[in-house]
Amino acid sequence: MATNSEAVPNVEDEAFEPPTYDEAFPALKAEVREPTPITDDFTWQPKFLNRSKCTQVFTVPLEERRFKEMKETQFGEESEQAKICKEIMNKTDVSIEISLAKDQSLTVVIHGKAQDVIKARREVLTRLQTQANIQIKIPREHHRFLLGKSGKKLQDLELATATKIYLPRADENSDIVRIVGTKDGIDKARHEIQIISDEQAKLAFERLPVPKVFHPFVCGPNNSNIKQLMEETGAKINVPPPSVMKDEIVVSGEKEGVMKCKATIMQICEEKRRKCQTVSVEVRKSQHKYIIGPRGAGIAEILANCGVSVEVPALDSSSETITLRGEQDKLGPALTMVYSKANSVVFADVVAPSWLHRFIIGKKGANIRNITEEYTKVHIEFTDGQDKITVEGPPEEVDLAVKALESVVKDLKSRMDFAEVLIDQRFHKHIIGKNGSNITRIKNETGVAIRIPNDSEHSKVIRIEGDPAGVVQAKKELQEMAQRMENEKTKDIIIEQRFHKSIIGAKGEKIREIRDRFNQVQITFPDPGKKSDVVTLRGPKNDVDKAFKYMQKMHEELIESNHQAQVHIFKGFHKNIIGKGGANIRKIRDETDTRIDLPSEISDSDVITITGKKANVEQAKVKIELIQKELANIKEITIEIPHKLHNSIIGAKGRLIRAIMDECGGVIIRFPSEGSTSDKVTIRGPKDDVESAKKQLQELTSEKQMSSFTNEIKAKAQYHKFLIGRGGANIRKVRESTGARIIFPANNDPDQETIVVVGTQDSVNKATKELEALINNLDNIVEIDTNVDPKHHRYFVARRGEVLRQIADEYGGVTVSFPRSGVKSDKVIIKGAKDCVEGAKKKIQDIVADLDAQVTVECIIIQQHHRTVMGASGYNIKEITKNFEVGIKFPDKPTANGAAKPAEAGADEEPLVNGDSGSTDGDGEKTNKKDIIIITGKPENCQQAKDALLALVPITEEMPIPFDFHRFIIGQKGRDVRKMMQDYNVNISIPPMEEKSDIVRISGPKTNVERAKAGLMEKVEQLEKEREDRELQSFELTVEVDPMHHPKIIGRKGLVVKKIREDHGCRIQFPEKGDENQNVITIVGYEDKTHLAKEDILKIVKELEDMVTIEVRVDHRIHPRIIGFKGRAVRKVMDDYQVDIRFPRPEDGDPDIVTITGMDDNVYECQDHLLNLQEEFLQDVIDQEYIKQLQRPPSKQDGDNRGGPPDQRGFVVKDAPWDKTPDTASTEEFPAFGAVVAPKSSHAWGPLKRKN
């Protein structure tokens, strides 16, 4: 056995290991360089879209138009034809323009993508042109050719002819095809259908009854007979595949060719039926595949050489019988070829324990590669879990390979052994140790391989393989470790959370020292968010106890050294505490061994915090207070202030108390904490200042006590309005006479009857007496009456008694009763509180007086303007009646001629519309009754209301506006002109386009019309300026640039050309695909800006022309590594060398050619770099492909399962991230938020790697 200082050669160095994740996916070597801004000039390749569009123009004659009458529509309305076109445009994404010719035919112009234009044309013709229909007879068997695959052919035909074609359903025994559409479309559709039917009439279709066993003779070797027949006749021959058991062959095509194929095939079939015989032989199922050969090549070879068909049973059949069918003299040679092919490959098994397989394969497949390179036709298969190795190949090479493998197995068995140890899975990570330290030590000392199962396997078995003596020693050590770990314990220690950060230390340095000292103990701190003081220790019992004592002692020391105290020192003395150059504060810190923290100069706080051991803190506090006492005569007193007054004395946000402290030299005044019922207030500071503050506080307290006397009065909620009075007159009078504040309950207060009186005691008492007197008066219910002329009764009770409700609300809820309808009385009864009743009575009498003083005034406005004068929903009339307190009545609508009109005897008859006698105005002219508006109210108010009505009468004025500006005034779909009409409350009439008139008419009230004219004039001036600016911006400049440079000028996602456009405010137009001049770029904008943009483009072109392009051959297998994840690696190379690198596309001929474009020196430097990367990566790719080939199972499965179940693992990578099951209980892998833990090594545990 080796000593601790000497490492034993490890058996792992001989064994095959799957490639690690880092070996299988190596990282690209990154060079540390200054970050270079990414330029889009070399990375963006524009993708030109096919933007081809077309335009179709067609005419719908008058006699075929569906909508023949063009109805006049009002401004902003759309015709039915326009609505249909708009719907089609939205549906097909094209633009449609329609116009009428002199002969009233309809011309339609459709512009858009070709396919969309065809669809739109069909829709337009279907909906705007009258439809005809015809019926034609087409043989039923031809209908499927009209439909095409999935009905595609019929859809294309309908689109091309703008018709609808109806075929009979499958269950209908009919051959009638109906076509609906325009006359021209029907003719075109009928012609196309007839052509398809005629073509199908010339074709033939035959289903030949040929037995399946004769299909190989008909087809010939590799289908040579069939191919020759199809070339000679042009017919199509369909032979069922071998897996389909059908005794038929289908021939289709021209009749002549089909007949010729039929004769030839049936002749072959009859000949073979007469001459063929069969021979059956038994061949092992596993050898059938060698007779068939790759893609049936073996059977085709026998058929070609001997003219014999070989029938092999299906793979899912258990039969081993192979049948040979052919002429008698040819069966013998064919049988010989069958046996020769069946025995061309043999299998052999080599017995080898499965745990030895990886040692037989060798490091990186070295051992097995030696055998396979010597015997190239042999395939060797290792299967997990089976103690054998399968060898497949030619007999002579299989025997030699078996001997070589047996020799390797014998050698390994002589010098290797294995053992298995059962250890609880929860101890596995402790056996491995931190970063694999424990397991690596054992392997180095014993030279064995130790395989510990993954957590996902849930296995307790640890396997040891290697030298027998080393296996025994390693097994003993593992068992001892497991026994020790079973004695582990867990213990909690209480450490105040505020000390956790101190114990952990900066970046975890202190906790790392503790863990190194007790390396077998796991220390877990709680999540800072949990506010927990419990720290958990886990590990071997003795180590846990030692760590517990150590951390407990550390906690005690922290408690002792972190005692805190606060001392209040006047802000002005802080500089004296610090001393010159910090001498005083430094001296106190050194003498007391404490930490002293002072507030910043800009802070209002006067608190100095002292931290350290308790005795030292108290000593430092005394020293600091002593300095303050030496500087000033400090005094501290306590006074009593009722706690209910504390908040009012402190003031909003402490403003009042801060003002007192500042005024008294910065004394400190401390009130009890919020919620306390203590009345004691402490004042501390210089003696004189303390006395001054005390005096101010006592005066303020007395004032507050005097002015804070309150009293409550109960009054019914309906009395509150009367107590307050109109506009608050009553309550204001009480406040002014007493000086008290009276608070009524808010609407959402639960107690609606309590009134609070606040103020001095005298003022509160006076106000209370006055309010109680008012309430007593209100409680004194009386009933009085007053006389109101019956003609005015209707005014009070109209609109559901609105006027009476207002009186009741205003006067304490009084009740006002008018006589019932039909009773001739003028007596009105008022009931309620005495003062309220008198107030209500006076209010009623005032209203009656106003009604008696009312007059009636007539306002004559032509009836056609009444609707405009009223406004939307009568808004204008409501405003006038409200503002002038008048009533306005418009005349009733006129009655139609001959309509019945009820009338009472003696009543004035309402004249009818026809023969309306009207009335006569002052000038003797007749005025029609329907034009008279009646205004009722006070004389002065009626006149003002009449003037307001007349001002609303609309007028019409004309305004000249250039015709070219009309469309801008109207706006999109009339939006702008509608907004102007709403803003100015006018009607704006713009002449139709065909009139080409400049006159715009504005109708509405005079003031609104004037405002609208001013708004239109302002809009015209703005449009004039915009037109001048557009003319300046329409300067056009062209520059010729080779089309190959256009993508670079555009830049990635158009960023380059976008920047030029934004910098110079120009439009830059590149030629579209198919344009005649592909090298012309057009720049449109201000003249000086276009020249600047041209200079920028030419500058880019010059840079591009100075570049060179070379091609370099780089193996396509390493292209992905050069490109990197999402192209990051290749972008870094392009940035480093300032070049553009293009990799080949799938359709390119040579997949290894990489194109590099850039400046001369940069291109060749980049070429050298790519070739260096190729040398670096290519060998890894070759090695991985070889290892992958070794692990791949045989290409074909053994029929009798001789090789056992196939290995389905595929490509195996060791230590990959997806193979690792996370240990959620580990605080190292999943540390708590805010906790600091020792960093883990990025190197995954595994066998020690040695360098040769």
Side-chain angles (χ1 to χ4, degrees):
M1 289 296 98
T3 63
N4 291 339
S5 60
E6 180 182 2
V8 176
N10 198 302
V11 70
E12 289 280 1
D13 295 340
E14 302 180 31
F16 166 76
E17 286 289 340
T20 65
Y21 182 76
D22 291 333
E23 291 172 346
F25 306 99
L28 294 179
K29 291 183 179 179
E31 296 180 7
V32 180
R33 299 196 177 202
E34 289 297 323
T36 306
I38 297 176
T39 58
D40 295 334
D41 295 348
F42 306 106
T43 57
W44 184 78
Q45 292 237 353
K47 296 182 180 179
F48 291 102
L49 301 175
N50 183 11
R51 304 188 180 197
S52 59
K53 294 188 177 182
C54 67
T55 302
Q56 279 199 17
V57 182
F58 56 92
T59 303
V60 180
L62 173 63
E63 59 274 10
E64 295 183 13
R65 277 177 49 201
R66 178 166 291 182
F67 303 96
K68 296 184 180 179
E69 294 183 4
M70 298 292 288
K71 298 179 180 178
E72 279 194 34
T73 57
Q74 295 185 3
F75 173 76
E77 294 184 359
E78 292 181 327
S79 66
E80 190 65 27
Q81 291 183 135
K83 289 179 182 177
I84 291 172
C85 291
K86 182 178 177 181
E87 183 182 338
I88 296 171
M89 284 193 291
N90 293 335
K91 183 178 178 182
T92 59
D93 195 21
V94 299
S95 64
I96 302 175
E97 297 178 7
I98 57 175
S99 60
L100 282 176
K102 290 183 179 179
D103 59 356
Q104 293 299 301
S105 60
L106 188 67
T107 302
V108 184
V109 180
I110 307 177
H111 177 72
K113 293 182 180 179
Q115 195 67 19
D116 295 337
V117 167
I118 294 173
K119 294 179 180 177
R121 180 176 181 272
R122 181 187 171 202
E123 288 280 341
V124 170
L125 289 177
T126 301
R127 301 180 65 176
L128 297 186
Q129 190 171 0
T130 55
Q131 304 290 294
N133 70 85
I134 64 165
Q135 294 181 347
I136 58 174
K137 287 189 176 182
I138 300 296
R140 189 171 179 77
E141 57 270 18
H142 296 172
H143 289 186
R144 62 192 182 94
F145 298 104
L146 294 178
L147 276 171
K149 188 176 181 180
S150 302
K152 184 70 170 60
K153 193 167 186 179
L154 184 64
Q155 292 174 6
D156 293 342
L157 183 59
E158 289 179 336
L159 283 176
T161 60
T163 59
K164 183 67 179 175
I165 302 171
Y166 296 94
L167 299 179
R169 294 195 301 272
D171 55 353
E172 294 180 7
N173 188 18
S174 172
D175 57 1
I176 298 297
V177 176
R178 189 163 67 92
I179 309 170
V180 178
T182 62
K183 185 175 180 298
D184 291 341
I186 289 174
D187 293 340
K188 290 179 184 177
R190 178 166 53 186
H191 176 71
E192 293 295 332
I193 291 171
Q194 201 62 54
I195 289 174
I196 294 170
S197 179
D198 293 344
E199 287 177 356
Q200 296 306 317
K202 299 176 183 177
L203 301 179
F205 179 87
E206 290 288 342
R207 196 182 299 272
L208 307 180
V210 178
K212 182 75 176 180
V213 294
F214 297 137
H215 287 187
F217 300 108
V218 174
C219 296
N222 297 316
N223 292 326
S224 56
N225 295 349
I226 291 293
K227 291 176 182 176
Q228 184 179 353
L229 265 177
M230 288 195 293
E231 288 176 1
E232 291 176 356
T233 62
K236 183 178 179 181
I237 303 174
N238 183 16
V239 180
S243 59
V244 179
M245 305 304 294
K246 282 189 176 182
D247 294 333
E248 64 177 24
I249 293 177
V250 178
V251 186
S252 60
E254 297 286 342
K255 287 184 178 180
E256 184 179 349
V258 169
M259 291 301 106
K260 185 175 180 181
C261 288
K262 178 181 179 181
T264 305
I265 292 171
M266 296 310 294
Q267 182 182 354
I268 294 172
C269 181
E270 291 300 325
E271 181 182 353
K272 293 302 177 182
R273 188 180 277 115
R274 291 196 313 272
K275 296 181 179 180
C276 283
Q277 296 183 3
T278 60
V279 172
S280 298
V281 294
E282 296 293 322
V283 178
R284 281 195 309 173
K285 189 76 175 178
S286 60
Q287 293 175 306
H288 286 189
K289 58 184 177 180
Y290 305 113
I291 297 172
I292 297 171
R295 298 185 181 180
I299 294 176
E301 183 184 350
I302 296 172
L303 181 61
N305 294 340
C306 305
V308 173
S309 166
V310 180
E311 299 169 10
V312 182
L315 292 176
D316 56 356
S317 172
S318 60
S319 173
E320 295 185 342
T321 302
I322 292 178
T323 303
L324 283 70
R325 189 182 303 275
E327 298 178 11
Q328 180 69 35
D329 56 338
K330 296 178 180 179
L331 288 175
L335 189 59
T336 303
M337 288 187 71
V338 167
Y339 279 119
S340 173
K341 289 183 179 295
N343 297 321
S344 62
V345 176
V346 296
F347 291 87
D349 290 338
V350 178
V351 177
S354 60
W355 65 272
L356 280 179
H357 286 185
R358 63 195 190 98
F359 299 103
I360 296 170
I361 296 172
K363 191 73 173 178
K364 293 189 176 181
N367 295 345
I368 204 68
R369 191 185 301 120
N370 294 335
I371 299 174
T372 55
E373 286 178 352
E374 186 175 354
Y375 310 110
T376 56
K377 297 182 180 179
V378 168
H379 177 77
I380 302 174
E381 180 185 353
F382 294 84
T383 306
D384 282 348
Q386 294 192 3
D387 295 335
K388 67 176 182 178
I389 303 170
T390 304
V391 186
E392 174 186 356
E396 59 278 2
E397 289 198 3
V398 166
D399 293 339
L400 296 173
V402 167
K403 289 179 181 178
L405 285 171
E406 287 175 343
S407 174
V408 173
V409 172
K410 185 177 180 182
D411 174 62
L412 289 172
K413 282 183 175 181
S414 66
R415 57 188 179 88
M416 294 191 71
D417 196 4
F418 78 94
E420 291 182 346
V421 186
L422 295 177
I423 296 177
D424 196 314
Q425 190 178 14
R426 60 195 172 95
F427 299 143
H428 286 186
K429 62 181 178 181
H430 301 292
I431 289 173
I432 294 170
K434 190 174 183 180
N435 298 327
S437 58
N438 295 343
I439 203 71
T440 302
R441 176 183 59 78
I442 296 173
K443 291 166 69 175
N444 290 341
E445 291 176 357
T446 60
V448 297
I450 302 175
R451 302 182 69 83
I452 299 178
N454 292 329
D455 292 342
S456 59
E457 296 179 18
H458 303 292
S459 173
K460 297 182 179 180
V461 178
I462 296 179
R463 189 179 181 87
I464 310 169
E465 300 169 352
D467 179 72
V471 168
V472 173
Q473 183 183 349
K475 180 178 179 181
K476 182 180 177 182
E477 287 199 33
L478 290 176
Q479 288 174 336
E480 289 176 355
M481 290 177 67
Q483 189 174 2
R484 284 199 306 270
M485 283 182 283
E486 286 178 353
N487 295 325
E488 275 191 351
K489 67 179 292 187
T490 299
K491 196 169 185 178
D492 293 338
I493 180 171
I494 304 299
I495 298 176
E496 292 182 39
Q497 192 179 38
R498 64 190 177 105
F499 298 139
H500 290 185
K501 191 174 181 181
S502 302
I503 294 174
I504 293 170
K507 298 183 179 178
E509 291 177 357
K510 292 185 179 180
I511 195 63
R512 195 179 302 117
E513 292 175 4
I514 298 172
R515 283 177 173 149
D516 291 341
R517 186 168 183 173
F518 306 99
N519 58 4
Q520 298 297 321
V521 178
Q522 182 180 354
I523 304 172
T524 307
F525 285 86
D527 186 346
K530 292 183 178 178
K531 305 293 183 185
S532 173
D533 297 335
V534 179
V535 178
T536 303
L537 308 179
R538 183 182 179 190
K541 183 177 181 181
N542 293 334
D543 292 341
V544 168
D545 292 340
K546 291 178 182 178
F548 180 85
K549 291 179 180 178
Y550 180 84
M551 294 190 72
Q552 193 174 38
K553 184 179 179 182
M554 183 184 291
H555 182 217
E556 291 171 356
E557 291 175 355
L558 287 170
I559 292 174
E560 185 180 359
S561 61
N562 281 274
H563 178 73
Q564 278 191 349
Q566 293 182 341
V567 56
H568 293 272
I569 302 296
F570 286 100
K571 193 77 173 177
F573 297 155
H574 283 195
K575 60 183 179 180
N576 304 98
I577 301 292
I578 296 171
K580 189 174 183 179
N584 293 349
I585 197 73
R586 189 161 52 248
K587 182 181 178 183
I588 297 172
R589 284 170 177 165
D590 294 340
E591 289 178 353
T592 60
D593 190 23
T594 56
R595 188 176 76 251
I596 303 173
D597 298 320
L598 284 83
S600 63
E601 292 182 4
I602 60 174
S603 172
D604 294 333
S605 174
D606 61 355
V607 176
I608 297 176
T609 304
I610 309 170
T611 307
K613 293 183 178 179
K614 186 173 182 180
N616 295 344
V617 168
E618 293 298 329
Q619 184 182 355
K621 182 177 179 181
V622 171
K623 287 179 179 290
I624 291 172
E625 288 178 339
L626 184 61
I627 293 173
Q628 180 178 240
K629 287 180 180 179
E630 290 173 356
L631 294 171
N633 184 16
I634 301 301
K635 181 180 180 182
E636 182 176 308
I637 64 171
T638 302
I639 63 173
E640 291 193 357
I641 298 174
H643 63 271
K644 65 180 181 178
L645 300 178
H646 287 184
N647 287 339
S648 60
I649 291 174
I650 293 171
K653 298 183 180 179
R655 291 191 186 117
L656 184 56
I657 200 65
R658 277 203 307 271
I660 295 173
M661 288 193 293
D662 293 343
E663 186 179 339
C664 299
V667 297
I668 300 168
I669 302 174
R670 288 189 178 81
F671 286 83
S673 59
E674 188 176 357
S676 173
T677 58
S678 173
D679 297 336
K680 293 183 179 181
V681 177
T682 304
I683 310 171
R684 184 170 180 266
K687 184 177 179 180
D688 295 339
D689 293 337
V690 167
E691 291 298 330
S692 176
K694 176 182 177 181
K695 183 179 179 182
Q696 287 198 32
L697 284 175
Q698 288 174 339
E699 290 176 355
L700 187 59
T701 301
S702 298
E703 182 183 339
K704 293 289 182 183
Q705 284 179 329
M706 291 180 64
S707 62
S708 298
F709 188 79
T710 61
N711 191 22
E712 294 182 352
I713 304 171
K714 296 288 184 178
K716 295 179 181 179
Q718 58 264 34
Y719 292 170
H720 291 184
K721 290 183 180 180
F722 179 77
L723 294 174
I724 295 170
R726 191 169 189 178
N730 296 345
I731 205 66
R732 192 183 307 112
K733 184 178 178 182
V734 176
R735 286 173 180 165
E736 290 173 355
S737 63
T738 63
R741 184 182 173 198
I742 303 169
I743 304 170
F744 286 86
N747 292 333
N748 54 355
D749 286 347
D751 186 358
Q752 289 290 314
E753 295 187 352
T754 302
I755 302 170
V756 181
V757 186
V758 182
T760 63
Q761 188 171 358
D762 290 341
S763 62
V764 169
N765 291 336
K766 289 180 183 179
T768 301
K769 288 180 181 178
E770 291 192 21
L771 288 173
E772 286 176 345
L774 291 173
I775 294 169
N776 289 334
N777 289 337
L778 291 173
D779 286 337
N780 185 16
I781 303 299
V782 297
E783 181 178 306
I784 64 173
D785 59 64
T786 183
N787 297 326
V788 176
D789 195 315
K791 67 180 180 180
H792 299 315
H793 288 189
R794 190 166 181 271
Y795 174 81
F796 287 94
V797 300
R799 296 185 296 279
R800 298 184 180 178
E802 182 180 349
V803 176
L804 295 180
R805 279 201 306 275
Q806 291 176 357
I807 294 172
D809 293 342
E810 188 174 348
Y811 295 97
V814 298
T815 303
V816 183
S817 302
F818 279 80
R820 291 192 304 275
S821 179
V823 177
K824 294 183 179 181
S825 172
D826 61 355
K827 187 177 181 181
V828 175
I829 298 173
I830 309 170
K831 186 178 180 182
K834 184 177 180 182
D835 292 343
C836 296
V837 167
E838 293 297 333
K841 178 179 179 181
K842 187 174 184 308
K843 178 69 174 176
I844 292 172
Q845 290 173 346
D846 291 344
I847 293 173
V848 171
D850 289 342
L851 292 173
D852 289 336
Q854 283 185 353
V855 296
T856 299
V857 176
E858 292 184 352
C859 179
I860 300 172
I861 298 176
I862 300 174
Q863 190 182 36
Q864 67 184 52
H865 297 320
H866 286 188
R867 189 171 181 181
T868 306
V869 171
M870 288 181 185
S873 302
Y875 176 79
N876 295 340
I877 299 303
K878 289 177 183 177
E879 286 296 308
I880 293 174
T881 55
K882 179 181 176 182
N883 294 337
F884 301 110
E885 296 182 354
V886 297
I888 300 175
K889 185 178 185 307
F890 283 78
D892 295 333
K893 291 183 179 179
T895 307
N897 187 23
K901 172 78 175 163
E904 295 179 4
D908 294 335
E909 291 186 356
E910 182 81 12
L912 299 179
V913 173
N914 289 346
D916 191 348
S917 61
S919 60
T920 305
D921 60 14
D923 298 331
E925 295 181 0
K926 284 189 175 182
T927 302
N928 199 329
K929 268 192 170 185
K930 63 185 180 181
D931 298 335
I932 299 175
I933 300 172
I934 306 298
I935 307 172
T936 305
K938 293 181 179 179
E940 61 277 10
N941 293 353
C942 289
Q943 189 58 44
Q944 291 177 1
K946 180 178 180 181
D947 295 340
L949 286 175
L950 293 174
L952 293 174
V953 176
I955 62 170
T956 301
E957 291 193 12
E958 295 182 348
M959 179 179 179
I961 296 177
F963 175 73
D964 295 340
F965 293 160
H966 287 190
R967 60 195 180 99
F968 300 108
I969 291 172
I970 294 171
Q972 186 178 13
K973 296 181 181 178
R975 181 183 57 196
D976 294 347
V977 74
R978 280 199 301 272
K979 186 176 184 305
M980 289 187 73
M981 290 192 290
Q982 290 171 0
D983 292 345
Y984 299 116
N985 195 19
V986 295
N987 181 53
I988 301 174
S989 176
I990 296 177
M993 288 184 64
E994 55 269 17
E995 293 184 9
K996 296 192 180 297
S997 172
D998 294 341
I999 301 301
V1000 174
R1001 292 179 176 83
I1002 309 167
S1003 301
K1006 186 174 181 180
T1007 55
N1008 294 358
V1009 169
E1010 294 299 327
R1011 288 172 50 238
K1013 286 175 67 177
L1016 284 171
M1017 186 56 66
E1018 185 179 342
K1019 180 77 171 177
V1020 169
E1021 291 174 359
Q1022 179 186 345
L1023 292 172
E1024 289 281 2
K1025 292 178 182 178
E1026 290 177 358
R1027 180 166 64 180
E1028 292 173 3
D1029 189 60
R1030 281 198 301 272
E1031 290 174 357
L1032 292 174
Q1033 288 188 43
S1034 61
F1035 181 79
E1036 189 173 293
L1037 183 67
T1038 59
V1039 56
E1040 293 191 2
V1041 177
D1042 193 317
M1044 66 181 291
H1045 298 321
H1046 289 186
K1048 300 296 183 183
I1049 295 171
I1050 293 171
R1052 188 183 183 194
K1053 297 183 180 178
L1055 290 178
V1056 176
V1057 73
K1058 182 180 179 182
K1059 187 175 186 306
I1060 297 174
R1061 287 170 176 156
E1062 290 175 352
D1063 289 347
H1064 305 295
C1066 298
R1067 299 194 309 274
I1068 301 175
Q1069 300 168 354
F1070 289 83
E1072 292 190 2
K1073 191 174 181 180
D1075 286 356
E1076 185 176 350
N1077 295 324
Q1078 285 291 313
N1079 60 343
V1080 175
I1081 299 175
T1082 305
I1083 310 171
V1084 181
Y1086 294 112
E1087 185 174 359
D1088 55 338
K1089 299 291 186 181
T1090 55
H1091 287 289
L1092 292 174
K1094 179 179 178 181
E1095 290 175 6
D1096 286 354
I1097 292 173
L1098 293 177
K1099 184 179 178 182
I1100 295 172
V1101 172
K1102 186 177 183 306
E1103 291 175 358
L1104 295 173
E1105 289 176 345
D1106 291 341
M1107 293 182 181
V1108 297
T1109 300
I1110 64 170
E1111 293 182 348
V1112 56
R1113 183 175 294 278
V1114 179
D1115 195 298
H1116 65 276
R1117 291 174 292 177
I1118 69 167
H1119 287 186
R1121 295 195 181 192
I1122 295 174
I1123 294 170
F1125 180 66
K1126 293 186 178 179
R1128 290 175 185 166
V1130 75
R1131 279 201 298 274
K1132 187 177 186 305
V1133 174
M1134 291 194 290
D1135 292 342
D1136 290 345
Y1137 293 96
Q1138 292 298 307
V1139 296
D1140 182 32
I1141 301 175
R1142 297 294 172 192
F1143 289 87
R1145 298 176 183 274
E1147 62 269 15
D1148 292 345
D1150 193 340
D1152 295 338
I1153 296 298
V1154 177
T1155 305
I1156 309 174
T1157 304
M1159 304 306 292
D1160 196 0
D1161 294 340
N1162 295 349
V1163 166
Y1164 288 103
E1165 287 180 12
C1166 183
Q1167 178 186 8
D1168 295 339
H1169 180 71
L1170 291 182
L1171 294 175
N1172 290 337
L1173 289 177
Q1174 179 178 234
E1175 292 178 6
E1176 182 180 342
F1177 296 145
L1178 194 55
Q1179 187 59 43
D1180 288 344
V1181 172
I1182 294 171
D1183 290 346
Q1184 289 174 13
E1185 287 182 352
Y1186 182 74
I1187 292 171
K1188 187 176 180 181
Q1189 183 179 0
L1190 290 178
Q1191 294 176 332
R1192 186 183 304 149
S1195 57
K1196 304 241 189 294
Q1197 298 298 327
D1198 190 352
D1200 59 356
N1201 293 325
R1202 185 179 180 81
D1207 186 4
Q1208 298 294 335
R1209 293 180 303 159
F1211 179 54
V1212 179
V1213 178
K1214 187 176 71 174
D1215 294 340
W1218 51 82
D1219 288 337
K1220 298 177 183 177
T1221 303
D1223 182 7
T1224 56
S1226 171
T1227 56
E1228 293 183 357
E1229 295 185 10
F1230 293 88
F1233 287 113
V1236 182
V1237 298
K1240 292 181 68 177
S1241 171
S1242 60
H1243 175 69
W1245 173 83
L1248 180 65
K1249 304 295 180 184
R1250 292 181 176 275
K1251 294 183 179 179
N1252 296 330

